[in-house]
Amino acid sequence: MLGFLRCFNYFSTKGGMNLNTNRTKKIALTGILAAIAIVGSLFSFPIFGSRATPIQHMVNLIAAVLLGPWYGVVAAFIASLLRNILSLGSILAFPGSMIGAWLAGVAYQKTQNLFLASLSEIVGTGLLGGLVAWPLAILFLGETAGSITFYIYILPFLVDHCWDSDRNFGY
């Protein structure tokens, strides 16, 4: 996947498509990436109280690198919202995907390093998203889900991402 990002980044900066100046193209690509995340959520597996969707992490990273942190957050929010409406996800889809996309985008803007952006997406989704998922589970999923310690939410988020990361880190 990092090879795809490098290739796309090369062509976008060499005059083929300038994503930095054309807002319409950014909005269109955000919608396309959100659609890919929704279709990719058909390939998911349950882990404890959440549903792991590894394609979402790939979309988060692509959106964060190509479009920036805020468009990445918008793509993650749209994908999470539609996945919930279509019963392909739970309320826990929001914190992990949105925090992961934002953190990856900020890391890439600051460093221009794909590896650090990938690592930031893992931290944002797995650790921070898992911590934020705990109060959401108490609030929206009831006391039985909330009575489980918040570590049970960090583990599935990290496993979900690590399943996809072996492809992300392979240069």
Side-chain angles (χ1 to χ4, degrees):
M1 185 185 73
L2 291 176
F4 168 76
L5 289 174
R6 285 189 185 124
C7 180
F8 195 87
N9 197 20
Y10 173 80
F11 286 113
S12 67
T13 57
K14 298 299 179 193
M17 185 168 58
N18 192 351
L19 292 175
N20 294 327
T21 60
N22 195 337
R23 188 173 178 191
T24 305
K25 287 182 182 178
K26 283 186 170 185
I27 292 170
L29 189 54
T30 300
I32 290 168
L33 290 171
I36 290 170
I38 294 164
V39 172
S41 68
L42 295 173
F43 306 105
S44 65
F45 52 94
I47 298 178
F48 298 116
S50 70
R51 183 176 290 176
T53 56
I55 301 297
Q56 180 69 50
H57 306 294
M58 179 188 70
V59 168
N60 286 347
L61 191 58
I62 291 171
V65 169
L66 296 180
L67 303 172
W70 297 112
Y71 283 99
V73 169
V74 169
F77 176 78
I78 292 169
S80 297
L81 181 65
L82 291 175
R83 282 173 37 204
N84 274 279
I85 289 171
L86 297 171
S87 297
L88 296 172
S90 71
I91 195 74
L92 304 178
F94 287 96
S97 63
M98 292 171 62
I99 294 170
W102 182 78
L103 204 56
V106 169
Y108 188 76
Q109 276 186 344
K110 300 285 185 195
T111 65
Q112 299 295 308
N113 187 324
L114 292 174
F115 179 77
L116 288 178
S118 296
L119 193 60
S120 297
E121 208 279 333
I122 293 171
V123 169
T125 299
L127 297 178
L128 299 177
L131 288 172
V132 172
W134 180 61
L136 283 177
I138 292 173
L139 188 62
F140 291 105
L141 300 179
E143 186 61 35
T144 56
S147 62
I148 302 172
T149 181
F150 66 90
Y151 293 111
I152 206 73
Y153 293 108
I154 293 174
L155 180 65
F157 282 45
L158 283 174
V159 168
D160 177 22
H161 197 290
C162 291
W163 184 83
D164 187 48
S165 294
D166 61 343
R167 291 163 196 76
N168 289 345
F169 293 138
Y171 292 88

